[in-house]
Structures are given as structure tokens and as C-alpha cells.
Amino acid sequence: MDAVLEIAGLQKTYRSRKGVRRALDGFDMVVEAGQVHGFLGPNGSGKTTTLRTLLGLIRPNGGRMAILGQEVPRHLPAVAGQVGAIVESPQFFGNFTSYDTLSLLADAGGVRRERVDAVLELVGLRDRAKERVRTYSLGMKQRLAVASALLKEPKLLILDEPANGLDPGGIREMRTLMRNLSESGMTVLLSSHILGEIQLICDQVTIIAAGRRVAHGSVAEVLASHASSSVRVRLEPGIDLLTAAQLLRAKGAQVDLGTDFFTVGNAGNPAQITRILAEQQIYVSELTPTTADLESVFLELTGTAPVDGQNRQVDQVAATAQGGWGQ
Amino acid sequence: MSLYKAETRRLVKRRFTKLFTVGALLILVAVAAGVFLTNHKAGPDQIAEATAKAQADYKQSVAGTEQMKKDCAAVQGTSRANEFPPNCEIAAPSESDFNPDWYMPPTFNLKESFRDMVTTMAAVLALAAFVVGASYVGAEWNSGGMMNLLLWRPRRLQVLSTKLAALLVGATLLTVVVAALWTAAFYGIASARGTTAGMTSGVWQSIGLMELRALALVLTAGALGFGLASLGRHTAMALGVAIGVIVVFQFGVGAVLEIADAKFPELYLAPFWVIAWMNKQYIAENYNACNYDVTGSCQPDTLTMTWQMAGTGLIAILVLVVGAAMWTMRKRDIT
């Protein structure tokens, strides 16, 4: 499959009086044609900086980027007509109507005016098209932003948090729209915090943390690569769970107690669990690998899982565990 | 071309543009109406009335002088004699002291007064162009519209230059139309409430050139507002600088120069440069100096501020501000 978007070793450093901050530190990403590609990362991880750099709004300090086979930002004017994008929150001039806003963009980009009505219909703003944008809710502005990105019938659609402010019906509509666009041959790069949505509609994902790619591949691959580290353990009836848990904790296992089971979170070698417990005449009745969801994988990879009693700061990333207990 | 058309549409569609354009036009209409209402045609009736008034005042003055002479003669030898000139030498008024021209109602002389009206028009339109220019690009930056546009047209300098071109072409069209209407209106006012005498082709040519300088002033003001707002990426930047210049440089510097007894404070004050630009020159005078002329009278030092000097200054400021706006547009990240 052809790569519609390629990023290699992208670097962006912000310098201020407070010091130097590396927003992107050798970031890589590949998006293939016809995919819905999820772009995930915690706040401040470099997602929006990546998108802005890709779209020529920010100058990178290093690295290479290409859209539809053309090096950007050098050849961005040549490919801009094939890239529809919304970056961060939708921003429009409040005193214009959505029809005015889109028709001005259409004029500026040399797009047929008929497209304006078509995209307004598509995003459900047809009946509100003559109202000023300042009267719109956040969700309606979001729909308008998506409409503006679709106006030029792009080959690559870049959407930064498109579901922001949408009601549940709107989120579902947006999901269907993404899927339909993808099926029509459009490639969609979707940045979002709604991991359930990403898991539902994305073919591939890239996860960024602290300006670097920490995982990429299909959703199934990313989940699979982190699914085996946690197992659920049930014991024979009548055995004290707490005693067993303390035995394993004493050996370095991370144990979470449930009602009639416990979970070992860092079980790199599940045989170790059965051996330790069997030595104390405790026998396991069930040992099941737990299925990781995208949220838990995301939190683990980005080191942003909440910790009791701590207020995590935006740029604060916990050290991720290397390997697993018992290996 | 499509971008230029879109930007022209955007500029014309903006409420702020409409509001300030209409506001400027209303001010100009009010000025023209004021001039019309306070001036009157000097016809035979007005001349006869003024002559009669002058004669009446002359006769009243002669009678008053005669009465004063009689009063003076009556009090000679008493203590009240000091209240009158010695020997009752009271000069009789001359008829020429009561010129009927001074009794004429104000009348609009196109040749003498229209230049001030052109300066008024230039000042009003320049102010409107500055604010509209600042708001046009400032609101685009502030609302995120500029970023949206750059996603469509990722050539930054082309986008900013096209916006500036749309503004300047719009301001040119407005100024040319308003100047034509303004000239026609005051020709009409002069015909109805004054005189158009002395309007030779040379005078019309001079007025035409003055209106061209008015156009240049309007365009410079628009470009400055645009450039400053683009530099600060907010309308308030341009308005803040304008207020700062007025408060600090005009009132502040004016006061300091007054205290320091500077020779030619006008040299540092923008309004005098605008006058020099519009009227081709402004002669600043220093009344603290005394230069005796051939007749022995005291003449002040003078400094002539020419339109060439004013034009050079305008171009320098324009290049600096618009150049800086273009440079930052090219270099700065858009976040």
C-alpha cells in the first residue's frame, strides 16, 4: 500500500526565556492510503505540533515529511489542494454565517460553490447555514470545521479532535462519516482522546509521548503486544486470596485484589505464579491472560496513568516498566 | 486572482468595514452640510444690506465722536477733564474704517477654502482606513481565520500581500469616489453659497495633485494599521500603537518641547507633517528669535517643512512597518 503521509525523525524545539523544550524529538509516522489512522497522545505530547508542522504552520528544526509523495513544507502549495485539515479547536470569524465562511474559503481555494451546499448537507448544518457562527454551539462549530476540511474533496483528511463538543448522536455520525470517507478512498488521519472511538474506527494507530512515537501498527497489533503482561488468577474454593496475594507481592508481583480473584499486572512469566503458590500448597484453578483495551495500553505506553494521591502535571511522564516480573 | 476576489469579498462583507465607512461618510456629509448652512451667496441684496449696515455704523460712530467732543468741551477746567484726551483731540472716524465687505455674511470661496476641505476629507478617510486595515487583518489573526486560510493557501507572503492589496485597492476606490463627490459637492456649495471665481485650470490641477496626496495619505494610514495589527496579530496592537503615539509622542513630546523651549517643536509633531504633506509646505516659526529686516521690524526664525520631507518620512515608516509585518509572517510559527 502507498504511504500518503510519511514523517521521519521530526524535531521541533521551542526556546524561551524559561529554557528549551523539545516538543518533537525524532518523531516518526507513516499513514497508508485508504486508512483511518488514529493519532494518539496525552496533552502536550506533540500531536498538534506534529499536525501544525505537517501543514506548514510551524517550521521544524529537523526531520523529513512527505504528503502524497511530495516533500513538505517545500512542496506544500502543490499538495495543499488535496489535504483537508482542521487543527485544534474550530476557529472561525463569528460575524460571518457558515455559508459565508465556506464560500469565502471556496473562492480562495478555487473550489466550486456547489461544494458548499454539499458539505453543509453532509455535516448536518444545511438548515443553520445562514446563521452567524458566533451563535453556534461548540459541536456545531466542529461540524463546520469538518465541512471546511471536506470542501475541497481532499485525498488526505487530517482531523484534530473532530468529536470535541459533539453530542453522542454527533459522535456516531462522525464515526460513520469517517468510515464512509475511508471507504470512498479518502485517507483519514484522526487525532483524538476518545480511545473507544479510535478502537472502533481506526485501521492503524500511532501513539506519541514526549515527542516520540511509542507504538504504532494496527489496533489489534498494539493491543496484542501488551495483552500478555497481565493475568487473572482464581484459586481453589476456600483459599484465602489475601495470603496468596501477599506471597506473590513478596516476590515482586503487582497484585490487584478482586472479589473472588486477583490480577497480576506484570506477569511476564505466568508459570512463576503457579510455582510460587504451589510451593505453599495453594493451587490455581484459573489463569487467564486479561485482554487489554486501548485505554490501558495508552496509559501504560504514555506513562500517564493516574496515581492515587498524586496530581500529574501535563509534561510529567511516569517511567514505564521495562519487561515484566518473573521473566 | 481567486484569492484576491475572496479577500475583497471578505473585506466588504465585514460589519466593521461597513460601520467605519458609513461613519466616515456621515462625518463628511455633516462637514459639507455645516459649510453649506453657515455660508451665503453674496448677491446684490446682501451687498446692499452690508453697505447699509456699514453706513449706519459709520454714522453712529461719527455721532458718537461728536457727542464725545461736546462732552469733553463741557468738562474742560473741571476734574473730569482727565477722562478725555488733552485739548479734546478726538479723531473723527473715517468711512473707510467701515468696509461693507466686513458686513457681508460668510461666503464660501472655492479657490481659497477648498484646500482645507480636502485636508479634512483626507484626515477622516485616513483614520477610517487605519482602523479598518487594522481590524481586517487583526480579526483574521484573532479569530483563527488566518490559520484556516493558510491551510488552503500555504504561501504566507502571498496571502498577506493579497489581503493588503485588497485593502489598498478598496481604499483607493473609496477615496477616488469620495474625492470626486467631495469636489462636486463643494463646487455646488460654492456656486450656491459662495463663489467659484478664480478657478483656473492651474488651480484645478493644484487641487487634483492635492487630492492625489490625500489618496497617498489614506493608503499609508491603511497600510500602517494593517501592518501593525499583523505584527501583533491583533487589532488592539495597531490601535494601542496609535494611542501610544498620540499620548506619548504628541502630547508628551509636545509638553516636553514646550518646557525645554525648543526652537521648532512642530518638527516632532505628526499633525504638522500631515499639513506639510497636504499643503506642500508648513513654515514653522520661532518667535523667541528676532531677525531685523530692511524695514527694521523683528522677524522670527523660520523652518520650512516640505511635502518631500514629509513624503520621505511616510515612506520610511511604511516600509519599516509593512516590511516587518511581512518578515514576521514569513518567519514566525503560527500557533
Side-chain angles (χ1 to χ4, degrees):
Chain A
M1 220 179 260
D2 292 335
V4 168
L5 169 61
E6 294 169 274
I7 298 174
L10 191 61
Q11 294 185 349
K12 178 64 187 176
T13 304
Y14 290 110
R15 295 171 201 281
S16 68
R17 275 173 287 180
K18 291 177 182 172
V20 175
R21 188 174 69 80
R22 284 192 166 199
L24 294 172
D25 190 10
F27 177 70
D28 303 307
M29 181 158 71
V30 176
V31 178
E32 288 170 355
Q35 285 184 347
V36 179
H37 191 106
F39 186 26
L40 311 177
N43 295 334
S45 60
K47 285 194 310 295
T48 300
T49 302
T50 302
L51 298 182
R52 283 177 184 272
T53 309
L54 193 63
L55 295 165
L57 301 174
I58 291 177
R59 288 173 196 281
N61 297 109
R64 181 188 156 272
M65 298 178 290
I67 295 176
L68 298 164
Q70 303 259 34
E71 293 277 333
V72 291
R74 205 169 133 217
H75 297 295
L76 190 58
V79 293
Q82 299 171 75
V83 181
I86 55 170
V87 182
E88 267 191 336
S89 54
Q91 294 179 317
F92 297 102
F93 187 60
N95 283 327
F96 285 170
T97 65
S98 58
Y99 184 86
D100 288 340
T101 303
L102 294 181
S103 66
L104 283 168
L105 282 175
D107 282 358
V111 171
R112 290 172 293 116
R113 282 277 183 94
E114 300 83 73
R115 281 292 300 160
V116 174
D117 293 317
V119 292
L120 283 169
E121 172 77 34
L122 194 63
V123 300
L125 284 176
R126 182 193 59 207
D127 297 336
R128 307 286 292 271
K130 299 289 181 189
E131 292 176 20
R132 286 188 182 158
V133 173
R134 70 161 41 156
T135 65
Y136 282 13
S137 67
L138 177 60
M140 287 166 71
K141 286 179 187 168
Q142 198 70 48
R143 287 168 188 260
L144 178 58
V146 173
S148 73
L150 289 172
L151 198 56
K152 49 187 163 179
E153 296 177 281
K155 286 184 179 169
L156 172 62
L157 183 63
I158 297 174
L159 302 175
D160 194 5
E161 298 288 350
N164 221 1
L166 292 183
D167 52 31
I171 292 174
R172 180 171 285 191
E173 285 166 18
M174 193 63 71
R175 189 196 308 154
T176 309
L177 178 65
M178 301 294 121
R179 184 48 68 196
N180 292 344
L181 291 172
S182 171
E183 282 169 4
S184 71
M186 194 181 291
T187 306
V188 182
L189 175 61
L190 181 62
S191 159
S192 177
H193 283 119
I194 306 176
L195 300 174
E197 284 299 308
I198 293 280
Q199 198 163 354
L200 276 172
I201 63 173
C202 289
D203 305 302
Q204 301 254 327
V205 291
T206 295
I207 301 179
I208 182 173
R212 291 182 174 202
R213 182 171 71 179
V214 291
H216 69 284
S218 69
V219 175
E221 283 168 2
V222 171
L223 292 178
S225 64
H226 290 81
S228 60
S229 62
S230 177
V231 292
R232 189 166 64 186
V233 181
R234 283 184 201 277
L235 302 177
E236 285 183 321
I239 304 295
D240 183 17
L241 282 176
L242 187 59
T243 307
Q246 282 170 343
L247 272 171
L248 292 169
R249 281 176 180 154
K251 298 285 186 183
Q254 292 173 358
V255 182
D256 287 324
L257 279 171
T259 48
D260 59 346
F261 66 92
F262 58 81
T263 307
V264 180
N266 55 343
N269 179 8
Q272 188 80 338
I273 298 169
T274 57
R275 190 178 62 75
I276 291 168
L277 295 178
E279 281 172 1
Q280 301 301 319
Q281 310 298 315
I282 299 172
Y283 298 104
V284 172
S285 64
E286 181 187 327
L287 191 68
T288 318
T290 55
T291 308
D293 60 8
L294 197 54
E295 182 177 286
S296 55
V297 172
F298 175 86
L299 293 173
E300 184 189 332
L301 284 169
T302 59
T304 52
V307 178
D308 287 343
Q310 287 185 21
N311 297 316
R312 187 181 67 82
Q313 302 305 302
V314 169
D315 290 328
Q316 186 182 338
V317 176
T320 49
Q322 297 295 311
W325 166 76
Q327 284 186 310
Chain B
M1 198 60 191
S2 58
L3 180 61
Y4 174 76
K5 274 170 67 182
E7 287 310 313
T8 303
R9 260 188 75 212
R10 190 191 306 278
L11 174 67
V12 174
K13 261 193 162 309
R14 298 196 67 238
R15 274 198 313 175
F16 207 84
T17 308
K18 291 174 188 164
L19 193 72
F20 263 78
T21 306
V22 170
L25 293 179
L26 285 178
I27 290 171
L28 293 178
V29 167
V31 169
V35 171
F36 180 83
L37 293 174
T38 54
N39 284 283
H40 301 277
K41 185 83 178 174
D45 291 349
Q46 285 80 12
I47 293 169
E49 193 179 337
T51 308
K53 268 188 186 173
Q55 279 294 317
D57 279 4
Y58 170 63
K59 284 175 183 166
Q60 194 180 353
S61 183
V62 168
T65 307
E66 289 303 318
Q67 183 61 43
M68 195 182 283
K69 279 183 178 172
K70 282 180 189 168
D71 292 347
C72 178
V75 296
Q76 289 302 309
T78 67
S79 59
R80 286 191 60 210
N82 293 338
E83 294 173 12
F84 296 92
N87 303 322
C88 294
E89 287 177 355
I90 301 168
S94 160
E95 196 168 355
S96 65
D97 292 338
F98 296 87
N99 188 338
D101 284 356
W102 303 340
Y103 291 83
M104 291 290 285
T107 187
F108 186 77
N109 186 321
L110 190 66
K111 185 183 172 189
E112 288 173 9
S113 306
F114 186 56
R115 290 172 201 281
D116 290 343
M117 294 299 111
V118 175
T119 303
T120 304
M121 177 200 75
V124 171
L125 291 184
L127 181 67
F130 182 88
V131 176
V132 168
S135 160
Y136 172 49
V137 74
E140 281 286 290
W141 277 114
N142 197 32
S143 69
M146 183 68 87
M147 193 182 78
N148 275 342
L149 190 55
L150 289 172
L151 295 179
W152 282 68
R153 290 278 194 152
R155 288 196 167 100
R156 295 185 186 191
L157 286 186
Q158 189 193 48
V159 166
L160 197 65
S161 308
T162 307
K163 278 183 180 290
L164 181 58
L167 173 74
L168 296 184
V169 170
T172 302
L173 288 175
L174 179 73
T175 307
V176 167
V177 170
V178 169
L181 293 174
W182 195 241
T183 308
F186 277 93
Y187 188 85
I189 289 170
S191 301
R193 302 276 179 138
T195 176
T196 57
M199 292 302 291
T200 61
S201 61
V203 174
W204 279 118
Q205 191 181 18
S206 171
I207 285 173
L209 289 171
M210 191 180 187
E211 287 180 337
L212 270 183
R213 290 197 298 278
L215 172 64
L217 188 70
V218 172
L219 296 185
T220 304
L224 281 179
F226 182 93
L228 288 169
S230 190
L231 269 174
R233 297 187 175 182
H234 205 291
T235 310
M237 169 73 173
L239 302 185
V241 167
I243 291 167
V245 165
I246 291 167
V247 171
V248 176
F249 284 95
Q250 298 308 297
F251 297 135
V253 170
V256 168
L257 292 172
E258 188 84 14
I259 293 164
D261 214 9
K263 273 183 81 177
F264 299 108
E266 294 98 326
L267 210 54
Y268 305 95
L269 303 175
F272 293 98
W273 284 109
V274 171
I275 293 168
W277 170 252
M278 290 301 298
N279 293 344
K280 295 213 298 194
Q281 66 172 32
Y282 175 82
I283 299 173
E285 294 176 332
N286 174 24
Y287 288 98
N288 292 329
C290 183
N291 305 299
Y292 292 102
D293 62 11
V294 285
T295 64
S297 58
C298 200
Q299 298 296 332
D301 276 349
T302 60
L303 177 77
T304 305
M305 295 155 66
T306 65
W307 70 273
Q308 290 95 334
M309 291 156 71
T312 307
L314 277 180
I315 290 170
I317 294 170
L318 190 66
V319 167
L320 187 73
V321 171
V322 176
M326 291 290 172
W327 186 82
T328 53
M329 180 69 173
R330 190 176 152 80
K331 290 286 176 189
R332 269 170 66 185
D333 287 342
I334 294 161
T335 53

